[in-house]
């Protein structure tokens, strides 16, 4: 976490039970050489005391907007200017709503309005509060305005329920901050990266299709990481329930054939191609014009092989740095190596799928192979793995 050293990080804590994790987060950041100041809302002080944060950060904790002493020493404008990066952890539903609508009625929200530094959020709340339409609308608004949002994760919640809304763990957040503070002088900065993501849908009739369990999360995380590393990112996506990451040019397609045609066209302007899409290997030979009726006991569909997008792009553009994914249920490395050769790739990313692994999940585990190199990345969030993958691509490109 070299990129954290000497960085000035302001941790903003709003009132949620996940505030206890922020103590560990501040400790990790300080241990890695960051200068950390903490600002807490009044309700955050009901969950943990400013004294605890003062002890771990080594600095006085800021809580009041209209405190003459505090304003004289380090007022909200000073703090807003001081920070290289602000992380709101936890960010409650209420705090996200204030941020989305420019409300500045306390010290922390005023700082967020007055800063030019990147503002990151680690949302934490009950799953229904997270799923609520108002919260989701605020989340999308914040994303489009360039706020960087980490998580939330799914799992057991402090309220006893299970679902999406848990704050990421302290170490995960520290890793994500370190990656985003990394200098943008990597080999990928300024390059154009084309990424395919999500599943494809192969129509059977007007209402039915063949598809797979891909959520697109890995590809979208790779797009976000490439953008954060300073690349121009083009995301060619199948149907997913994800918002386009901020600053990324997205094209939506449905079928493998559409994705194939668009990829060949977009690859012309790309320097790097990363194929994360789970493309359907086959599509119905005949698409029925009307909905198929239940008239017989059995129905036979004839399927035709779809074009291999990655194969065709890598052969059409020999100078393009091509990265493939190999999702396998068995003999991971053997299959991945074979694909690296057959598809004429510069790098392949193998990940185990099936038995609760890979598709639809927030975490993954990767083996990255390239000519003369191999890197194993143990299970982590797809966001963190995407950052590591982009750094690995940068390193391999740089050494070429
Ligand atoms: O051959 P297999 O489907 O296992 O290869 C996986 C890799 O190839 C992934 O990178 C995937 O995005 C890409 N692929 C493709 N077009 C296909 C099939 C796979 O681009 N029709």
């Amino acid at each position: 976490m070299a990129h954290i050293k000497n960085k000035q990080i302001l941790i903003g804590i709003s009132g949620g039970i996940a505030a206890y994790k922020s103590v560990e987060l501040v400790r990790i950041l300080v241990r890695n050489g960051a200068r950390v100041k903490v600002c807490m809302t009044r309700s955050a002080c009901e969950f943990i005391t400013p004294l605890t944060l003062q002890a771990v950060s080594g600095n006085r904790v800021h809580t009041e907007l209209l405190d003459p002493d505090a304003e004289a020493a380090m007022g909200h404008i000073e703090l807003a200017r001081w920070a290289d990066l602000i992380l709101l952890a936890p960010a409650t539903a209420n705090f996200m709503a204030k941020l989305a609508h420019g409300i500045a009625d306390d010290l922390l929200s005023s700082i967020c309005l007055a800063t030019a530094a990147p503002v990151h959020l680690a949302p934490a709340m009950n799953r229904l509060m997270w799923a609520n339409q108002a919260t989701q609308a605020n989340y999308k608004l914040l994303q489009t305005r360039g706020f960087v949002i980490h998580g939330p994760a799914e799992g057991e919640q402090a309220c006893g329920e299970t679902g999406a809304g848990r704050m990421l763990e302290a170490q995960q957040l520290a890793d994500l901050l370190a990656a985003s503070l990394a200098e943008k002088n990597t080999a990928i900065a300024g390059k154009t990266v084309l990424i395919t993501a999500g599943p494809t849908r192969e129509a059977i009739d007007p209402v039915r299709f063949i598809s797979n369990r891909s959520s697109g999360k890995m590809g979208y995380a790779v797009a976000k990481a490439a953008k954060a590393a300073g690349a121009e990112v083009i995301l060619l996506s199948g149907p997913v329930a994800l918002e386009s990451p901020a600053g990324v040019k997205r094209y939506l397609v449905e079928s493998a054939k559409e994705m194939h045609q668009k990829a060949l066209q977009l690859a012309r302007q790309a320097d790097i191609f990363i194929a994360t899409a789970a493309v359907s290997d086959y599509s119905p030979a005949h698409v029925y014009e009307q909905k198929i009726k239940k008239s017989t006991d059995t129905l036979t569909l004839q399927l035709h092989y779809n074009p291999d997008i990655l194969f065709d792009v890598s052969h059409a553009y020999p100078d393009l740095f091509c990265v493939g994914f190999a999702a396998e249920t068995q003999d991971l490395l053997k299959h991945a190596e074979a694909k690296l050769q057959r598809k004429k790739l510069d790098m392949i990313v193998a990940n185990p799928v099936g038995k609760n692994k890979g598709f639809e999940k927030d975490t993954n585990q990767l083996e990255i192979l390239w000519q003369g190199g191999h890197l194993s990345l143990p299970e982590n969030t797809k966001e963190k793995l995407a950052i590591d993958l982009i750094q690995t691509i940068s390193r391999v490109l740089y050494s070429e």
Side-chain angles (χ1 to χ4, degrees):
M1 277 200 276
H3 305 302
I4 274 183
K5 197 159 192 258
N6 292 329
K7 285 285 180 332
Q8 304 192 152
I9 300 175
L10 180 74
I11 299 292
I13 306 179
S14 48
I17 182 61
Y20 78 90
K21 293 187 189 174
S22 308
V23 178
E24 180 60 14
L25 172 65
V26 172
R27 285 191 59 206
I28 297 172
L29 296 175
V30 170
R31 208 187 303 132
N32 283 280
R35 286 184 237 153
V36 180
K37 288 187 193 288
V38 177
C39 177
M40 297 171 71
T41 64
R42 271 197 200 153
S43 47
C45 299
E46 302 286 331
F47 288 90
I48 42 169
T49 70
L51 200 59
T52 309
L53 273 314
Q54 179 176 309
V56 289
S57 70
N59 283 310
R60 183 175 170 269
V61 171
H62 302 264
T63 53
E64 297 300 326
L65 179 61
L66 302 173
D67 171 351
D69 287 348
E71 281 290 309
M74 208 187 248
H76 66 283
I77 300 292
E78 292 298 310
L79 278 167
R81 278 197 201 128
W82 174 86
D84 293 320
L85 186 150
I86 297 177
L87 170 64
L88 305 168
T92 59
N94 180 57
F95 201 83
M96 286 176 69
K98 290 209 303 190
L99 208 56
H101 299 284
I103 295 171
D105 61 353
D106 61 6
L107 179 60
L108 186 55
S109 51
S110 302
I111 290 171
C112 291
L113 212 54
T115 193
V119 179
H120 292 224
L121 284 84
M125 64 200 72
N126 162 274
R127 68 181 174 96
L128 291 175
M129 290 176 84
W130 173 250
N132 185 285
Q133 282 187 13
T135 309
Q136 286 301 306
N138 291 331
Y139 166 61
K140 283 170 194 154
L141 197 56
L142 290 170
Q143 262 192 329
T144 55
R145 293 198 183 142
F147 289 84
V148 185
I149 304 182
H150 303 298
E154 291 195 18
E156 218 175 279
Q157 300 203 289
C159 53
E161 297 185 13
T162 303
R166 275 172 65 92
M167 187 166 97
L168 296 187
E169 298 307 321
Q171 187 64 53
Q172 290 174 323
L173 286 171
D175 287 341
L176 290 164
L177 290 198
S180 77
L181 284 167
E183 299 294 324
K184 295 200 170 172
N185 61 357
T186 58
I188 232 164
K191 295 257 177 3
T192 299
V193 184
L194 171 64
I195 300 164
T196 62
T200 62
R201 278 184 188 169
E202 311 303 326
I204 298 171
D205 69 14
V207 294
R208 303 181 178 97
F209 55 78
I210 296 172
S211 193
N212 58 60
R213 293 184 185 280
S214 167
S215 62
K217 284 180 185 165
M218 191 67 221
Y220 276 58
V222 173
K224 211 166 149 189
K227 183 72 203 162
E232 288 294 317
V233 182
I234 308 172
L235 182 58
L236 179 54
S237 173
V240 293
L242 301 171
E243 290 293 310
S244 183
V248 163
K249 202 179 221 178
R250 181 171 73 162
Y251 295 86
L252 288 171
V253 289
E254 287 243 347
S255 68
K257 286 194 187 82
E258 282 168 16
M259 191 179 273
H260 180 253
Q261 191 192 9
K262 199 76 193 159
L264 279 168
Q265 180 195 330
L266 292 169
R268 201 169 302 144
Q269 64 199 82
D271 303 295
I272 299 164
F273 178 48
I274 311 176
T276 73
V279 185
S280 298
D281 288 325
Y282 294 90
S283 56
H286 170 77
V287 182
Y288 289 78
E289 267 180 34
Q290 306 299 334
K291 187 178 166 197
I292 303 171
K293 292 282 173 210
K294 285 178 279 201
S295 55
T296 51
D297 280 351
T298 59
L299 172 71
T300 306
L301 286 176
Q302 198 185 14
L303 303 177
H304 278 180
Y305 202 55
N306 273 332
D308 188 319
I309 301 168
L310 180 56
F311 183 98
D312 288 352
V313 168
S314 75
H315 285 77
Y317 300 96
D319 293 338
L320 190 61
F321 188 91
C322 288
V323 183
F325 268 67
E328 302 291 346
T329 51
Q330 57 183 356
D331 292 334
L332 192 64
L333 293 180
K334 200 175 101 200
H335 288 302
E337 262 169 40
K339 249 170 245 182
L340 184 73
Q341 306 304 334
R342 183 165 49 83
K343 300 201 185 197
K344 213 170 79 60
L345 305 179
D346 299 281
M347 184 178 278
I348 189 131
V349 184
N351 65 296
V353 288
K355 277 211 198 125
N356 231 350
K357 283 187 166 158
F359 285 174
E360 293 174 316
K361 297 247 313 175
D362 288 329
T363 59
N364 213 338
Q365 153 192 350
L366 306 179
E367 301 286 338
I368 308 180
L369 310 179
W370 63 98
Q371 306 291 353
H374 178 189
L375 179 69
S376 294
L377 298 176
E379 178 156 0
N380 212 320
T381 59
K382 289 182 176 174
E383 279 171 325
K384 171 73 171 87
L385 292 170
I387 291 165
D388 289 346
L389 171 62
I390 291 296
Q391 275 173 2
T392 310
I393 294 173
S394 261
R395 240 181 294 130
V396 173
L397 263 176
Y398 192 73
S399 63
E400 271 186 352

